[in-house]
């Protein structure tokens, strides 16, 4: 059907182009074209059911009668929302960032959370949760809508947040966060783990 926000782009020989939003028809009437002349116009359509849609258009004129029939095929796929999360840890607020950091007890560490819309539908709202109370992800501010990539300015399809400093405690400390995104009644999630460790390996060679 004709998309609700569609407008006709282009014109044709002074004719009237009718493309009513919500309808399934586009018509051109009253146009005049000289010999060998052509015209182009377009409208935006929206698929309402999944499958392959074949559209046939036949042109006719008062003088020459019915002309040829042109065919276009549109494949409408199921909408698949998805979100991806990368959680990384670093020794400062500027990194360097990785999934693992070797550090010392009492040192400061920072976490970076990066979310990306890897689906084909905008997500709103989006959020990140972390079960570690020492990692205050509630302070992160995420965009109201995470758009579909590739984004067109000023749309956003990725977003990041840096949290810290967090005081390192002794041992190996893996931490898993979860990203959440909503499309309509569907919620999509993804998890990512970053680990810092204060453990060291000592080699003693003797003879």
């Amino acid at each position: 059907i004709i998309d609700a926000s569609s407008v006709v782009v282009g014109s044709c020989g002074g004719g009237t182009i009718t493309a009513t939003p919500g309808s399934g028809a586009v018509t051109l009437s009253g146009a005049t074209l000289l010999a060998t002349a052509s015209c182009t116009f377009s409208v935006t359509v929206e698929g309402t059911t999944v499958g392959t849609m074949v559209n046939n258009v036949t042109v006719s004129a008062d003088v020459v009668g019915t002309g040829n029939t042109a065919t276009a095929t549109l494949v409408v796929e199921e909408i698949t929302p998805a979100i991806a999360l990368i959680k990384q840890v670093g020794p400062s607020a500027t990194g360097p960032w990785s999934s693992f950091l070797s550090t010392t007890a009492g040192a400061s560490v920072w976490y970076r959370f990066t979310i990306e819309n890897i689906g084909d539908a905008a997500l709103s709202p989006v959020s990140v949760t972390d079960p570690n109370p020492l990692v205050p992800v509630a302070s992160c501010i995420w965009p109201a809508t995470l758009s579909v990539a590739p984004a067109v300015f000023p749309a956003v399809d990725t977003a990041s947040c840096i949290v810290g400093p967090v005081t390192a405690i002794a041992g190996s400390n893996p931490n898993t966060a979860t990203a959440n995104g909503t499309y309509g009644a569907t919620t999509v999630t993804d998890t990512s783990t970053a680990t810092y460790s204060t453990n060291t390996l000592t080699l003693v060679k003797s003879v």
Side-chain angles (χ1 to χ4, degrees):
I1 64 172
I2 309 301
D3 187 77
S5 60
S6 178
V7 294
V8 176
V9 177
S11 60
C12 190
T16 300
I17 302 170
T18 302
T20 304
S23 72
V26 180
T27 61
L28 166 67
S29 61
T32 300
L33 290 178
L34 299 176
T36 72
S38 64
C39 66
T40 301
F41 59 92
S42 64
V43 297
T44 303
V45 297
E46 175 186 353
T48 56
T49 57
V50 175
T52 300
M53 311 299 166
V54 179
N55 181 248
N56 299 311
V57 178
T58 301
V59 65
S60 63
D62 292 340
V63 177
V64 298
T66 302
N68 71 304
T69 297
T71 300
T73 301
L74 173 67
V75 178
V76 181
E77 299 179 341
E78 195 77 52
I79 294 177
T80 308
I83 194 171
L85 169 67
I86 297 177
K87 179 177 182 178
Q88 297 169 300
V89 62
S92 73
T94 57
W97 304 104
S98 65
S99 61
F100 178 83
L101 174 67
S102 179
T103 188
T104 57
S108 294
V109 298
W110 282 257
Y111 289 99
R112 182 173 71 173
F113 303 85
T114 302
I115 57 174
E116 180 181 6
N117 186 338
I118 59 171
D120 53 14
L123 300 174
S124 180
V126 292
S127 63
V128 172
T129 58
D130 194 303
N132 188 341
L134 299 179
V135 184
V137 292
S139 63
C140 293
I141 299 176
W142 303 106
T145 299
L146 201 62
S147 302
V148 177
V152 177
F153 183 83
V156 177
D157 68 291
T158 63
S160 296
C161 177
I162 296 172
V163 172
V166 176
T167 301
I169 58 177
S172 179
N173 297 276
N175 185 235
T176 300
T178 302
N180 308 274
T182 300
Y183 169 73
T186 302
T187 298
V188 291
T189 63
D190 189 37
T191 59
S192 182
T193 300
T195 302
Y196 74 82
S197 177
T198 63
N199 296 334
T200 58
L201 179 65
T202 302
L203 175 63
V204 178
K205 183 179 180 180
S206 60
V207 62

